Amino acid sequence: MRNTLHIILVSLQVICLIYILATGPLLPTGYLLLFAFLASLLFGLWAIMEMKFRFNVFPDLRKGSELVISGPYSLVRHPMYTSVLISSLCLVINNFTSSRLTVWILLFAVLIIKSHIEDRILSSSFESFQVYRNRTSRLIPYIF
């Protein structure tokens, strides 16, 4: 049975994304934002492919999981979250309102909490995770 906190976090994540998608255009209109949006989606797709499409939206570890540290995971520990944050930020900037920014900040907070939970789970499940964690950033290479 899933942890209640995990269900709440995923629900908030989905609600935030639906709000951002429903309150503006689905694609940025400026070339720079469109490029960043598409690049972030490709980065997320690369992460999904690197995990052989065995990803989980809940911050839980599936049975038989392996620690993936190649591809985009060699740059950041949570590349799918990076992808979601950058692509949704492009949409917010493209059609900026204070409410959309507030929802994006909530999304950011939710994904940070989820990443802490995942790091804790991975740390207790894989001996090599601490070494990996020490050499990679959470979301932005070499920064954060």
Side-chain angles (χ1 to χ4, degrees):
M1 185 167 180
R2 296 213 187 273
N3 181 317
T4 303
L5 175 61
H6 298 183
I7 293 169
I8 291 169
L9 290 170
V10 170
S11 298
L12 284 171
Q13 178 182 347
V14 169
I15 290 167
C16 289
L17 289 170
I18 288 171
Y19 180 83
I20 290 170
L21 290 170
T23 58
L26 295 179
L27 290 174
T29 54
Y31 290 119
L32 184 57
L33 284 176
L34 182 61
F35 175 78
F37 178 82
L38 294 174
S40 69
L41 291 182
L42 288 174
F43 188 67
L45 181 60
W46 181 26
I48 290 169
M49 290 171 52
E50 197 67 29
M51 291 198 66
K52 298 179 176 84
F53 298 92
R54 295 197 66 221
F55 67 96
N56 187 1
V57 296
F58 289 94
D60 302 323
L61 193 61
R62 291 182 173 180
K63 289 183 181 181
S65 293
E66 297 177 10
L67 182 63
V68 177
I69 60 173
S70 57
Y73 293 91
S74 66
L75 303 171
V76 291
R77 292 191 306 275
H78 304 280
M80 286 184 251
Y81 293 169
T82 300
S83 173
V84 167
L85 288 170
I86 292 172
S87 60
S88 60
L89 182 60
C90 289
L91 294 175
V92 169
I93 292 169
N94 183 66
N95 188 36
F96 185 82
T97 64
S98 58
S99 61
R100 292 179 96 219
L101 178 61
T102 302
V103 170
W104 186 86
I105 291 169
L106 175 60
L107 175 63
F108 180 81
V110 165
L111 293 181
I112 291 297
I113 293 167
K114 283 180 66 180
S115 72
H116 280 287
I117 292 169
E118 288 179 13
D119 282 359
R120 190 176 65 238
I121 291 169
L122 292 169
S123 182
S124 67
S125 301
F126 299 103
E127 286 183 26
S128 60
F129 182 76
Q130 193 59 41
V131 172
Y132 169 66
R133 182 180 181 175
N134 289 340
R135 69 176 170 82
T136 55
S137 299
R138 183 178 307 276
L139 295 170
I140 303 169
Y142 312 108
I143 298 172
F144 175 70

